[in-house]
Amino acid sequence: MSISTFLPIIIISILTIIYYIYFSNKSKSALAKIDFDKEKSNYTQYKNDFLDNEFSFLKKWLKDKPIDAFTMASIPESKSDRLKRLIINGIKDFFVRIFGIKRQRIYTNCYLVLSGSDLHFFTTDIDGNYDSHSIFDSFRLDNATMTFTGPFRRDLGLINIYGNSLDKNLPQTYTITFYNIDNKNLSLEIHDRLDSSVGSIVFCINKQMERHKKNLVVGNEFIRVLKSMHPNLETHTN
């Protein structure tokens, strides 16, 4: 194959990176203007607004039990799963650029909800519908550990070429590990915000910034409340 065969892919890749750099810098500037300490006082309002609207399904799944805090979550990847995902995403990105075929996520949304002394973990199917529900009581939480594990970089596709400079705009994750569950350890990733999609994070300017601000306040408050209830979950860096 001649270089002309790959030239359109190279040009599109470079333009994609430039595009993301531009909007990433715009997002950083907009975020720097937000007083998050002040915004924390609006937490209850933001939380209730989400639960009355796009996250109302959590109240249904919890059968109207009180929701003290909630956030997005994910299941950690193994090294083999990560390698497989990077290969699949690379292939899909190629077809997106050349043929316009839409690339879809290969992971599904998960949610963590604090209700009283219990931590509820919900998984969904590829359509976002209820899939499973697990409950971790105070005993499990008192014997768990939590580690800061950095940015959630899944589903970035070609943007991974951009490297670590995008990381501050991505959801930050904390891995909580529960021990001796059916003689095994179970780990879950806690996100520090409610939206894990790349577009909403990188392109969060103007009107989208207001939503992104609320996402961050609600997600970070979940982590604060969890730590205040269980001091053993003070984080360590992985």
Side-chain angles (χ1 to χ4, degrees):
M1 289 187 181
S2 65
I3 191 170
S4 60
T5 304
F6 296 98
L7 190 59
I9 300 174
I10 295 171
I11 293 173
I12 292 172
S13 298
I14 292 172
L15 290 175
T16 299
I17 294 170
I18 294 172
Y19 191 58
Y20 273 87
I21 290 174
Y22 172 75
F23 278 101
S24 176
N25 290 334
K26 292 277 285 186
S27 297
K28 289 177 184 177
S29 298
L31 279 171
K33 298 176 182 177
I34 298 174
D35 185 348
F36 282 103
D37 288 332
K38 181 179 178 181
E39 289 297 331
K40 289 177 185 177
S41 63
N42 298 319
Y43 164 69
T44 300
Q45 177 191 334
Y46 294 163
K47 182 193 75 170
N48 291 336
D49 285 346
F50 280 126
L51 290 173
D52 288 339
N53 294 285
E54 56 261 56
F55 290 91
S56 60
F57 57 86
L58 290 176
K59 294 193 290 187
K60 179 181 178 182
W61 293 354
L62 217 59
K63 298 180 180 178
D64 291 324
K65 290 180 181 177
I67 295 178
D68 302 313
F70 72 99
T71 193
M72 299 284 289
S74 53
I75 299 172
E77 289 183 308
S78 65
K79 290 183 179 179
S80 60
D81 286 340
R82 174 176 169 77
L83 178 60
K84 186 189 301 182
R85 172 178 57 80
L86 290 174
I87 293 172
I88 292 174
N89 277 1
I91 294 171
K92 287 183 176 180
D93 270 331
F94 173 81
F95 283 101
V96 168
R97 307 305 180 213
I98 303 304
F99 302 108
I101 298 173
K102 184 178 180 181
R103 182 165 73 86
Q104 297 179 340
R105 294 183 183 185
I106 59 172
Y107 66 92
T108 59
N109 286 334
C110 302
Y111 306 91
L112 283 168
V113 180
L114 277 170
S115 179
S117 60
D118 293 332
L119 177 64
H120 298 257
F121 176 63
F122 294 100
T123 64
T124 63
D125 60 22
I126 57 174
D127 296 316
N129 299 317
Y130 173 93
D131 180 52
S132 68
H133 178 195
S134 303
I135 302 175
F136 304 94
D137 59 19
S138 58
F139 173 80
R140 292 290 186 193
L141 287 164
D142 285 339
N143 288 280
T145 57
M146 190 158 69
T147 304
F148 176 70
T149 41
F152 183 74
R153 296 186 61 82
R154 290 184 219 173
D155 203 42
L156 291 184
L158 283 172
I159 311 170
N160 269 304
I161 301 171
Y162 186 15
N164 297 332
S165 53
L166 183 64
D167 287 353
K168 290 184 179 180
N169 282 2
L170 296 173
Q172 303 301 304
T173 60
Y174 298 76
T175 298
I176 184 170
T177 301
F178 300 95
Y179 297 94
N180 298 319
I181 297 180
D182 295 330
N183 296 318
K184 295 181 180 179
N185 298 336
L186 173 66
S187 294
L188 302 173
E189 291 173 335
I190 303 171
H191 295 203
D192 71 342
R193 63 201 71 184
L194 298 184
D195 197 335
S196 302
S197 61
V198 176
S200 65
I201 297 160
V202 177
F203 306 125
C204 55
I205 55 177
N206 301 327
K207 292 182 180 180
Q208 293 180 358
M209 183 56 65
E210 182 68 19
R211 175 183 171 81
H212 185 59
K213 172 184 68 178
K214 295 177 181 180
N215 286 336
L216 280 166
V217 169
V218 174
N220 275 277
E221 186 65 9
F222 173 92
I223 296 168
R224 189 199 67 77
V225 171
L226 183 63
K227 287 181 179 181
S228 67
M229 292 173 63
H230 303 279
N232 56 296
L233 295 179
E234 273 304 318
T235 51
H236 305 280
T237 302
N238 192 7

